[in-house]
Amino acid sequence: VAACITGHVRTLSITASNIFETMIAPIRDHVDVFSALSPVIDDRYPPRNAWHPKYQSQTGPRKNSTTTMTKDRIEQWMHIFSPISVDVETTTNENEGLHRCFQKVQRRERERHSLYRFLLRLRPDVAYQTRLPEWPAWWNLVRHAESSLALTDVSSPSTSCFKDVWSLMTRAAAAAYFAPSWPPPCAPRTATAAWLGTAECSLGCALHRANVTAVAVP
């Protein structure tokens, strides 16, 4: 498994231990961790929901100015993951970080002359309450997965939207998820999916066009 942690670091200083314990520790002996992080820490007001189960910490309107963190400090926060790579660079959109991380994964695959079987996408500004199963149980759940499958905690298939808080996917689904860009949403957001942002609906459309089966899990 290759795990990609991507996005603005925001609350990583307080969420890193949670991300490790819930999403990495259960499969520690079977996962390599990569990251492509933007050093922005406060492009939004203080995170009132940093520990809300499964959900991103960003709440409130954007600030007019941003503060960034040094690469050395970010590497300290990431130390708990024993990452293969820590890439820190300011990004203008979500896809830049995703694609940079995927390129790190692909480089590692070339070095080891084999592909990862699964990719796990995580965000640095999220605290997760649900813990991944331990490896034996986890492997039994996914070993017979369809060739192109992506799992997340919330999705809206009827509106072609796919929540981007985290996702576990087969290697075949990764190219669409970690693409340099996603297409515009396939359909306008409806009232039932009003809570989903444009990015989530663009991601859902990208997965749909690539024939990736999107599945929501509890």
Side-chain angles (χ1 to χ4, degrees):
V1 182
C4 265
I5 303 176
T6 71
H8 290 337
V9 293
R10 289 185 181 130
T11 56
L12 182 61
S13 61
I14 61 173
T15 54
S17 59
N18 166 275
I19 296 169
F20 177 79
E21 291 298 330
T22 57
M23 308 301 277
I24 300 299
I27 56 173
R28 175 67 275 185
D29 294 336
H30 306 274
V31 61
D32 288 336
V33 178
F34 303 80
S35 65
L37 301 168
S38 174
V40 175
I41 60 173
D42 72 343
D43 63 329
R44 294 177 183 270
Y45 281 101
R48 296 190 295 273
N49 292 332
W51 296 100
H52 190 287
K54 293 185 178 178
Y55 287 95
Q56 63 192 43
S57 58
Q58 60 188 45
T59 57
R62 289 184 179 276
K63 288 186 175 182
N64 292 326
S65 61
T66 61
T67 300
T68 59
M69 183 52 63
T70 65
K71 181 177 180 180
D72 286 346
R73 180 59 64 85
I74 293 171
E75 288 178 341
Q76 291 176 13
W77 295 341
M78 289 294 296
H79 181 72
I80 190 173
F81 300 102
S82 301
I84 300 294
S85 172
V86 178
D87 181 18
V88 179
E89 183 178 333
T90 301
T91 57
T92 58
N93 59 61
E94 182 174 5
N95 293 91
E96 286 185 29
L98 286 169
H99 190 61
R100 283 209 329 265
C101 195
F102 190 45
Q103 289 177 317
K104 302 289 185 184
V105 171
Q106 291 175 308
R107 183 175 301 131
R108 184 67 170 178
E109 289 176 328
R110 290 192 294 270
E111 292 172 352
R112 60 184 234 157
H113 304 293
S114 64
L115 299 179
Y116 289 99
R117 184 94 183 253
F118 301 97
L119 270 79
L120 175 64
R121 187 275 166 105
L122 302 170
R123 285 177 49 159
D125 60 345
V126 175
Y128 302 95
Q129 186 177 52
T130 301
R131 194 171 190 265
L132 278 182
E134 299 295 327
W135 177 255
W138 188 89
W139 175 242
N140 287 333
L141 287 173
V142 300
R143 63 187 301 180
H144 300 301
E146 297 180 44
S147 61
S148 196
L149 175 72
L151 308 176
T152 189
D153 62 331
V154 181
S155 63
S156 182
S158 62
T159 56
S160 300
C161 300
F162 192 85
K163 192 65 177 170
D164 67 349
V165 172
W166 71 274
S167 183
L168 171 65
M169 70 201 76
T170 57
R171 181 61 178 77
Y177 195 109
F178 290 89
S181 63
W182 296 323
C186 293
R189 287 180 295 165
T190 65
T192 58
W195 51 271
L196 285 167
T198 300
E200 288 93 338
C201 294
S202 292
L203 171 57
C205 187
L207 297 178
H208 175 74
R209 291 185 178 182
N211 294 316
V212 175
T213 301
V215 178
V217 295

Short mmCIF file of all heavy atoms in Angstrom, two decimals, residues 149-202:
data_model
loop_
_atom_site.label_atom_id
_atom_site.label_comp_id
_atom_site.label_asym_id
_atom_site.label_seq_id
_atom_site.Cartn_x
_atom_site.Cartn_y
_atom_site.Cartn_z
N LEU A 149 -11.51 0.38 -8.26
CA LEU A 149 -12.43 0.61 -7.16
C LEU A 149 -11.87 1.68 -6.24
O LEU A 149 -10.68 1.73 -5.97
CB LEU A 149 -12.63 -0.69 -6.37
CG LEU A 149 -13.48 -0.62 -5.09
CD1 LEU A 149 -14.96 -0.44 -5.44
CD2 LEU A 149 -13.29 -1.87 -4.25
N ALA A 150 -12.74 2.56 -5.75
CA ALA A 150 -12.33 3.58 -4.78
C ALA A 150 -13.35 3.62 -3.65
O ALA A 150 -14.56 3.65 -3.89
CB ALA A 150 -12.22 4.95 -5.43
N LEU A 151 -12.87 3.63 -2.42
CA LEU A 151 -13.72 3.67 -1.24
C LEU A 151 -13.51 4.99 -0.51
O LEU A 151 -12.41 5.53 -0.46
CB LEU A 151 -13.37 2.53 -0.27
CG LEU A 151 -13.33 1.11 -0.81
CD1 LEU A 151 -12.86 0.14 0.27
CD2 LEU A 151 -14.70 0.69 -1.32
N THR A 152 -14.58 5.51 0.10
CA THR A 152 -14.47 6.67 0.97
C THR A 152 -15.58 6.56 2.00
O THR A 152 -16.36 5.61 1.99
CB THR A 152 -14.57 7.99 0.20
OG1 THR A 152 -14.25 9.08 1.08
CG2 THR A 152 -15.96 8.22 -0.38
N ASP A 153 -15.66 7.54 2.93
CA ASP A 153 -16.69 7.44 3.97
C ASP A 153 -18.03 7.97 3.49
O ASP A 153 -19.07 7.55 3.96
CB ASP A 153 -16.27 8.15 5.26
CG ASP A 153 -16.05 9.64 5.06
OD1 ASP A 153 -15.68 10.02 3.94
OD2 ASP A 153 -16.23 10.40 6.00
N VAL A 154 -18.02 8.92 2.56
CA VAL A 154 -19.26 9.51 2.07
C VAL A 154 -19.14 9.74 0.57
O VAL A 154 -18.14 10.24 0.10
CB VAL A 154 -19.56 10.86 2.75
CG1 VAL A 154 -20.88 11.43 2.24
CG2 VAL A 154 -19.63 10.71 4.27
N SER A 155 -20.14 9.33 -0.16
CA SER A 155 -20.17 9.68 -1.58
C SER A 155 -21.62 9.91 -1.97
O SER A 155 -22.53 9.61 -1.23
CB SER A 155 -19.57 8.56 -2.44
OG SER A 155 -20.33 7.38 -2.33
N SER A 156 -21.81 10.46 -3.13
CA SER A 156 -23.16 10.73 -3.62
C SER A 156 -23.24 10.28 -5.08
O SER A 156 -23.16 11.10 -5.99
CB SER A 156 -23.47 12.23 -3.49
OG SER A 156 -24.80 12.50 -3.91
N PRO A 157 -23.36 8.97 -5.30
CA PRO A 157 -23.34 8.45 -6.67
C PRO A 157 -24.38 9.09 -7.57
O PRO A 157 -24.14 9.30 -8.76
CB PRO A 157 -23.61 6.96 -6.47
CG PRO A 157 -23.20 6.68 -5.06
CD PRO A 157 -23.54 7.92 -4.30
N SER A 158 -25.55 9.43 -7.01
CA SER A 158 -26.61 9.97 -7.85
C SER A 158 -26.25 11.33 -8.42
O SER A 158 -26.81 11.76 -9.42
CB SER A 158 -27.91 10.08 -7.03
OG SER A 158 -27.74 10.97 -5.96
N THR A 159 -25.30 12.02 -7.77
CA THR A 159 -24.88 13.33 -8.27
C THR A 159 -23.43 13.30 -8.74
O THR A 159 -22.84 14.33 -9.00
CB THR A 159 -25.05 14.40 -7.17
OG1 THR A 159 -24.31 13.98 -6.01
CG2 THR A 159 -26.50 14.58 -6.80
N SER A 160 -22.86 12.12 -8.84
CA SER A 160 -21.48 11.96 -9.31
C SER A 160 -20.48 12.72 -8.46
O SER A 160 -19.50 13.26 -8.97
CB SER A 160 -21.36 12.39 -10.78
OG SER A 160 -22.20 11.62 -11.59
N CYS A 161 -20.72 12.79 -7.16
CA CYS A 161 -19.80 13.47 -6.24
C CYS A 161 -19.13 12.44 -5.33
O CYS A 161 -19.72 11.42 -5.01
CB CYS A 161 -20.53 14.50 -5.40
SG CYS A 161 -21.35 15.81 -6.37
N PHE A 162 -17.90 12.74 -4.93
CA PHE A 162 -17.11 11.80 -4.15
C PHE A 162 -16.32 12.58 -3.11
O PHE A 162 -15.48 13.40 -3.45
CB PHE A 162 -16.16 11.04 -5.08
CG PHE A 162 -15.49 9.85 -4.46
CD1 PHE A 162 -16.12 8.60 -4.43
CD2 PHE A 162 -14.21 9.95 -3.95
CE1 PHE A 162 -15.48 7.51 -3.89
CE2 PHE A 162 -13.57 8.86 -3.40
CZ PHE A 162 -14.21 7.62 -3.37
N LYS A 163 -16.61 12.35 -1.84
CA LYS A 163 -15.96 13.12 -0.77
C LYS A 163 -14.46 12.88 -0.77
O LYS A 163 -14.00 11.76 -0.95
CB LYS A 163 -16.57 12.72 0.57
CG LYS A 163 -16.19 13.64 1.72
CD LYS A 163 -16.75 15.03 1.54
CE LYS A 163 -16.42 15.92 2.74
NZ LYS A 163 -16.74 17.33 2.48
N ASP A 164 -13.67 13.95 -0.53
CA ASP A 164 -12.22 13.85 -0.65
C ASP A 164 -11.49 13.84 0.69
O ASP A 164 -10.29 14.11 0.75
CB ASP A 164 -11.68 14.98 -1.52
CG ASP A 164 -11.84 16.35 -0.86
OD1 ASP A 164 -12.55 16.45 0.15
OD2 ASP A 164 -11.24 17.31 -1.37
N VAL A 165 -12.17 13.51 1.78
CA VAL A 165 -11.53 13.49 3.09
C VAL A 165 -10.50 12.36 3.17
O VAL A 165 -9.42 12.52 3.73
CB VAL A 165 -12.57 13.37 4.22
CG1 VAL A 165 -11.91 13.14 5.56
CG2 VAL A 165 -13.43 14.63 4.27
N TRP A 166 -10.84 11.21 2.65
CA TRP A 166 -9.89 10.10 2.52
C TRP A 166 -10.43 9.14 1.47
O TRP A 166 -11.61 9.15 1.15
CB TRP A 166 -9.71 9.34 3.85
CG TRP A 166 -10.89 8.51 4.26
CD1 TRP A 166 -11.99 8.95 4.96
CD2 TRP A 166 -11.13 7.12 3.99
NE1 TRP A 166 -12.89 7.91 5.13
CE2 TRP A 166 -12.38 6.78 4.55
CE3 TRP A 166 -10.39 6.14 3.33
CZ2 TRP A 166 -12.91 5.50 4.47
CZ3 TRP A 166 -10.93 4.86 3.25
CH2 TRP A 166 -12.18 4.55 3.82
N SER A 167 -9.55 8.33 0.94
CA SER A 167 -9.99 7.31 -0.01
C SER A 167 -8.97 6.19 -0.08
O SER A 167 -7.77 6.43 -0.07
CB SER A 167 -10.18 7.92 -1.41
OG SER A 167 -10.68 6.94 -2.30
N LEU A 168 -9.48 4.99 -0.14
CA LEU A 168 -8.66 3.79 -0.36
C LEU A 168 -9.04 3.27 -1.73
O LEU A 168 -10.22 3.03 -2.01
CB LEU A 168 -8.94 2.74 0.71
CG LEU A 168 -8.33 1.37 0.49
CD1 LEU A 168 -6.82 1.43 0.52
CD2 LEU A 168 -8.85 0.38 1.55
N MET A 169 -8.05 3.08 -2.60
CA MET A 169 -8.37 2.69 -3.97
C MET A 169 -7.39 1.66 -4.50
O MET A 169 -6.27 1.53 -4.01
CB MET A 169 -8.35 3.92 -4.88
CG MET A 169 -6.98 4.51 -5.12
SD MET A 169 -7.02 6.23 -5.66
CE MET A 169 -7.38 7.07 -4.10
N THR A 170 -7.84 0.94 -5.50
CA THR A 170 -6.95 0.02 -6.19
C THR A 170 -5.97 0.83 -7.05
O THR A 170 -6.22 1.99 -7.38
CB THR A 170 -7.73 -0.94 -7.09
OG1 THR A 170 -8.51 -0.17 -8.03
CG2 THR A 170 -8.66 -1.83 -6.28
N ARG A 171 -4.87 0.19 -7.41
CA ARG A 171 -3.86 0.88 -8.21
C ARG A 171 -4.45 1.35 -9.54
O ARG A 171 -4.10 2.42 -10.05
CB ARG A 171 -2.67 -0.07 -8.45
CG ARG A 171 -1.52 0.54 -9.26
CD ARG A 171 -0.92 1.74 -8.56
NE ARG A 171 0.22 2.30 -9.30
CZ ARG A 171 0.12 3.06 -10.38
NH1 ARG A 171 -1.08 3.34 -10.88
NH2 ARG A 171 1.20 3.55 -10.96
N ALA A 172 -5.37 0.57 -10.11
CA ALA A 172 -5.96 0.93 -11.39
C ALA A 172 -6.79 2.20 -11.32
O ALA A 172 -6.95 2.91 -12.31
CB ALA A 172 -6.82 -0.23 -11.91
N ALA A 173 -7.33 2.51 -10.13
CA ALA A 173 -8.16 3.71 -9.98
C ALA A 173 -7.33 4.96 -9.71
O ALA A 173 -7.83 6.08 -9.83
CB ALA A 173 -9.15 3.51 -8.84
N ALA A 174 -6.06 4.78 -9.37
CA ALA A 174 -5.24 5.90 -8.91
C ALA A 174 -5.00 6.96 -9.98
O ALA A 174 -4.93 8.15 -9.68
CB ALA A 174 -3.91 5.38 -8.38
N ALA A 175 -4.83 6.55 -11.24
CA ALA A 175 -4.52 7.52 -12.29
C ALA A 175 -5.60 8.58 -12.41
O ALA A 175 -5.32 9.77 -12.63
CB ALA A 175 -4.32 6.80 -13.62
N ALA A 176 -6.86 8.18 -12.28
CA ALA A 176 -7.96 9.14 -12.37
C ALA A 176 -8.03 10.03 -11.13
O ALA A 176 -8.25 11.24 -11.22
CB ALA A 176 -9.29 8.40 -12.56
N TYR A 177 -7.82 9.43 -9.95
CA TYR A 177 -7.92 10.18 -8.70
C TYR A 177 -6.78 11.19 -8.58
O TYR A 177 -6.98 12.35 -8.19
CB TYR A 177 -7.89 9.22 -7.51
CG TYR A 177 -8.32 9.83 -6.21
CD1 TYR A 177 -9.54 9.49 -5.62
CD2 TYR A 177 -7.54 10.77 -5.54
CE1 TYR A 177 -9.95 10.05 -4.43
CE2 TYR A 177 -7.93 11.34 -4.34
CZ TYR A 177 -9.14 10.97 -3.79
OH TYR A 177 -9.54 11.54 -2.60
N PHE A 178 -5.56 10.78 -8.92
CA PHE A 178 -4.38 11.62 -8.74
C PHE A 178 -4.00 12.38 -10.02
O PHE A 178 -2.85 12.78 -10.19
CB PHE A 178 -3.20 10.76 -8.28
CG PHE A 178 -3.33 10.25 -6.87
CD1 PHE A 178 -3.97 9.05 -6.62
CD2 PHE A 178 -2.83 10.97 -5.80
CE1 PHE A 178 -4.09 8.56 -5.32
CE2 PHE A 178 -2.94 10.49 -4.50
CZ PHE A 178 -3.59 9.29 -4.26
N ALA A 179 -4.95 12.59 -10.89
CA ALA A 179 -4.69 13.27 -12.16
C ALA A 179 -4.29 14.72 -11.94
O ALA A 179 -4.64 15.33 -10.93
CB ALA A 179 -5.93 13.20 -13.04
N PRO A 180 -3.56 15.32 -12.89
CA PRO A 180 -3.18 16.74 -12.77
C PRO A 180 -4.37 17.68 -12.72
O PRO A 180 -4.27 18.79 -12.22
CB PRO A 180 -2.34 16.98 -14.04
CG PRO A 180 -1.89 15.64 -14.48
CD PRO A 180 -2.98 14.69 -14.10
N SER A 181 -5.50 17.22 -13.26
CA SER A 181 -6.73 18.03 -13.20
C SER A 181 -7.92 17.09 -13.32
O SER A 181 -7.80 15.97 -13.80
CB SER A 181 -6.76 19.07 -14.32
OG SER A 181 -6.77 18.43 -15.59
N TRP A 182 -9.08 17.56 -12.85
CA TRP A 182 -10.33 16.82 -13.00
C TRP A 182 -11.26 17.60 -13.91
O TRP A 182 -11.16 18.82 -14.02
CB TRP A 182 -11.00 16.64 -11.63
CG TRP A 182 -10.24 15.81 -10.66
CD1 TRP A 182 -9.48 14.71 -10.92
CD2 TRP A 182 -10.15 16.03 -9.25
NE1 TRP A 182 -8.93 14.22 -9.77
CE2 TRP A 182 -9.33 15.01 -8.72
CE3 TRP A 182 -10.69 16.97 -8.37
CZ2 TRP A 182 -9.02 14.91 -7.36
CZ3 TRP A 182 -10.40 16.88 -7.02
CH2 TRP A 182 -9.58 15.86 -6.52
N PRO A 183 -12.17 16.92 -14.58
CA PRO A 183 -13.12 17.62 -15.44
C PRO A 183 -14.14 18.39 -14.61
O PRO A 183 -14.25 18.18 -13.40
CB PRO A 183 -13.79 16.47 -16.21
CG PRO A 183 -13.73 15.32 -15.25
CD PRO A 183 -12.39 15.46 -14.56
N PRO A 184 -14.87 19.30 -15.22
CA PRO A 184 -15.95 19.97 -14.49
C PRO A 184 -16.95 18.93 -14.00
O PRO A 184 -17.01 17.82 -14.52
CB PRO A 184 -16.57 20.89 -15.55
CG PRO A 184 -15.52 21.05 -16.60
CD PRO A 184 -14.76 19.76 -16.62
N PRO A 185 -17.73 19.26 -12.96
CA PRO A 185 -18.73 18.31 -12.47
C PRO A 185 -19.62 17.81 -13.61
O PRO A 185 -19.99 18.57 -14.51
CB PRO A 185 -19.54 19.14 -11.47
CG PRO A 185 -18.55 20.17 -10.98
CD PRO A 185 -17.71 20.50 -12.18
N CYS A 186 -19.95 16.53 -13.56
CA CYS A 186 -20.76 15.93 -14.62
C CYS A 186 -22.18 16.47 -14.62
O CYS A 186 -22.85 16.50 -15.64
CB CYS A 186 -20.80 14.41 -14.46
SG CYS A 186 -19.21 13.61 -14.74
N ALA A 187 -22.67 16.86 -13.45
CA ALA A 187 -24.04 17.36 -13.34
C ALA A 187 -24.07 18.42 -12.25
O ALA A 187 -23.25 18.40 -11.32
CB ALA A 187 -25.00 16.23 -13.00
N PRO A 188 -24.99 19.39 -12.33
CA PRO A 188 -25.10 20.40 -11.28
C PRO A 188 -25.39 19.76 -9.94
O PRO A 188 -26.07 18.73 -9.85
CB PRO A 188 -26.28 21.27 -11.75
CG PRO A 188 -26.40 21.00 -13.21
CD PRO A 188 -25.98 19.56 -13.39
N ARG A 189 -24.87 20.36 -8.88
CA ARG A 189 -25.16 19.86 -7.54
C ARG A 189 -26.65 20.02 -7.24
O ARG A 189 -27.25 21.03 -7.56
CB ARG A 189 -24.33 20.60 -6.50
CG ARG A 189 -22.87 20.22 -6.49
CD ARG A 189 -22.13 21.00 -5.42
NE ARG A 189 -22.12 22.43 -5.70
CZ ARG A 189 -21.81 23.36 -4.82
NH1 ARG A 189 -21.49 23.03 -3.60
NH2 ARG A 189 -21.81 24.63 -5.16
N THR A 190 -27.20 19.03 -6.59
CA THR A 190 -28.61 19.11 -6.19
C THR A 190 -28.67 19.47 -4.71
O THR A 190 -27.66 19.54 -4.02
CB THR A 190 -29.30 17.75 -6.40
OG1 THR A 190 -28.71 16.78 -5.53
CG2 THR A 190 -29.15 17.30 -7.84
N ALA A 191 -29.87 19.67 -4.22
CA ALA A 191 -30.04 20.03 -2.81
C ALA A 191 -29.50 18.93 -1.90
O ALA A 191 -28.97 19.20 -0.83
CB ALA A 191 -31.52 20.27 -2.53
N THR A 192 -29.60 17.68 -2.33
CA THR A 192 -29.14 16.57 -1.49
C THR A 192 -27.62 16.52 -1.42
O THR A 192 -27.06 15.88 -0.55
CB THR A 192 -29.66 15.23 -2.03
OG1 THR A 192 -29.22 15.06 -3.38
CG2 THR A 192 -31.17 15.19 -1.98
N ALA A 193 -26.95 17.18 -2.34
CA ALA A 193 -25.49 17.17 -2.33
C ALA A 193 -24.93 18.58 -2.20
O ALA A 193 -23.79 18.84 -2.57
CB ALA A 193 -24.97 16.52 -3.61
N ALA A 194 -25.73 19.48 -1.64
CA ALA A 194 -25.29 20.87 -1.54
C ALA A 194 -24.06 21.02 -0.66
O ALA A 194 -23.29 21.96 -0.80
CB ALA A 194 -26.43 21.72 -0.99
N TRP A 195 -23.87 20.07 0.28
CA TRP A 195 -22.72 20.15 1.17
C TRP A 195 -21.44 19.76 0.47
O TRP A 195 -20.34 20.00 0.98
CB TRP A 195 -22.94 19.22 2.37
CG TRP A 195 -23.31 17.82 1.97
CD1 TRP A 195 -24.57 17.34 1.75
CD2 TRP A 195 -22.42 16.73 1.71
NE1 TRP A 195 -24.52 16.02 1.37
CE2 TRP A 195 -23.22 15.63 1.35
CE3 TRP A 195 -21.04 16.58 1.76
CZ2 TRP A 195 -22.67 14.40 1.02
CZ3 TRP A 195 -20.50 15.36 1.44
CH2 TRP A 195 -21.30 14.28 1.09
N LEU A 196 -21.52 19.17 -0.70
CA LEU A 196 -20.32 18.80 -1.44
C LEU A 196 -19.84 19.97 -2.28
O LEU A 196 -20.62 20.62 -2.96
CB LEU A 196 -20.62 17.60 -2.34
CG LEU A 196 -20.73 16.24 -1.65
CD1 LEU A 196 -21.33 15.22 -2.60
CD2 LEU A 196 -19.37 15.77 -1.17
N GLY A 197 -18.54 20.23 -2.23
CA GLY A 197 -17.99 21.31 -3.00
C GLY A 197 -17.76 20.92 -4.44
O GLY A 197 -17.88 19.76 -4.84
N THR A 198 -17.40 21.90 -5.24
CA THR A 198 -17.16 21.64 -6.66
C THR A 198 -16.05 20.62 -6.86
O THR A 198 -16.12 19.77 -7.75
CB THR A 198 -16.79 22.95 -7.37
OG1 THR A 198 -17.87 23.88 -7.23
CG2 THR A 198 -16.52 22.72 -8.84
N ALA A 199 -15.00 20.67 -6.02
CA ALA A 199 -13.89 19.73 -6.16
C ALA A 199 -14.37 18.29 -6.00
O ALA A 199 -13.98 17.40 -6.77
CB ALA A 199 -12.80 20.04 -5.14
N GLU A 200 -15.23 18.05 -5.01
CA GLU A 200 -15.72 16.70 -4.79
C GLU A 200 -16.54 16.19 -5.98
O GLU A 200 -16.47 15.02 -6.35
CB GLU A 200 -16.57 16.62 -3.52
CG GLU A 200 -15.79 16.72 -2.23
CD GLU A 200 -15.71 18.14 -1.72
OE1 GLU A 200 -15.87 19.09 -2.55
OE2 GLU A 200 -15.48 18.34 -0.52
N CYS A 201 -17.31 17.09 -6.58
CA CYS A 201 -18.13 16.67 -7.73
C CYS A 201 -17.27 16.51 -8.99
O CYS A 201 -17.56 15.66 -9.84
CB CYS A 201 -19.26 17.68 -7.94
SG CYS A 201 -20.46 17.70 -6.58
N SER A 202 -16.22 17.30 -9.11
CA SER A 202 -15.29 17.11 -10.23
C SER A 202 -14.56 15.78 -10.07
O SER A 202 -14.35 15.05 -11.05
CB SER A 202 -14.27 18.25 -10.28
OG SER A 202 -14.90 19.46 -10.64
#
